[in-house]
Amino acid sequence: MIRRIISAAVAVALTAAAVMTAVVAAAFALYALLEGPLGRPGAAAVIAALAALTAAVTALVSLRKAEPPPPAEQGPADRILSLAREKPILAAAAAVAAGVVALRNPKIVAALVSAFVAGKTTGKS
């Protein structure tokens, strides 16, 4: 397994080196071609502009691929659970507040439980 990973890493490194060699050789060839009509500074400027353009296009393509897919629609329970995972202190405070309300007024808890049980039984039949 490790041997395959190392082989893949070596293959990627060799491919990257070959591509870089080709890019540098192409830049030198284009510089030599443009040196006559534009002079040394002009040819260097054109090569620099092409390198910057290539880098910008590569970055834009990479960023487009890196965008996460849009999130799927969530129900209320999923939103509450994701909020509790993201902000556990807020979830703990809400649980304590719910416990305090339940201790002060047990009729509310009884009404919620009976409504929940009634909803479950009517949904099954």
Side-chain angles (χ1 to χ4, degrees), residues 52-64:
L53 180 65
T54 303
V57 169
T58 303
L60 287 174
V61 168
S62 297
L63 289 176
R64 274 192 99 67

Side-chain angles (χ1 to χ4, degrees), residues 1-73:
M1 177 79 170
I2 292 177
R3 187 173 223 168
R4 289 177 111 186
I5 293 172
I6 291 173
S7 295
V10 168
V12 167
L14 289 175
T15 304
V19 168
M20 288 304 298
T21 302
V23 168
V24 170
F28 273 124
L30 186 59
Y31 177 82
L33 183 70
L34 294 175
E35 187 179 10
L38 299 178
R40 287 184 178 178
V46 170
I47 298 300
L50 286 175
L53 180 65
T54 303
V57 169
T58 303
L60 287 174
V61 168
S62 297
L63 289 176
R64 274 192 99 67
K65 288 183 179 180
E67 285 182 8
E73 288 294 320

Side-chain angles (χ1 to χ4, degrees), residues 12 16 24 27 37 40 55 63 82-83 85 97 102 108 110-111 115-116:
V12 167
V24 170
R40 287 184 178 178
L63 289 176
S82 66
L83 181 65
R85 281 188 209 109
I108 293 175
F116 181 74

Side-chain angles (χ1 to χ4, degrees), residues 5 24 32 44 57-58 63 66 68 79 90 94-96 99-100 102 113-114 124:
I5 293 172
V24 170
V57 169
T58 303
L63 289 176
R79 281 188 265 160
L90 180 65
V96 168
V100 168
V113 168
S114 64
K124 289 184 178 180

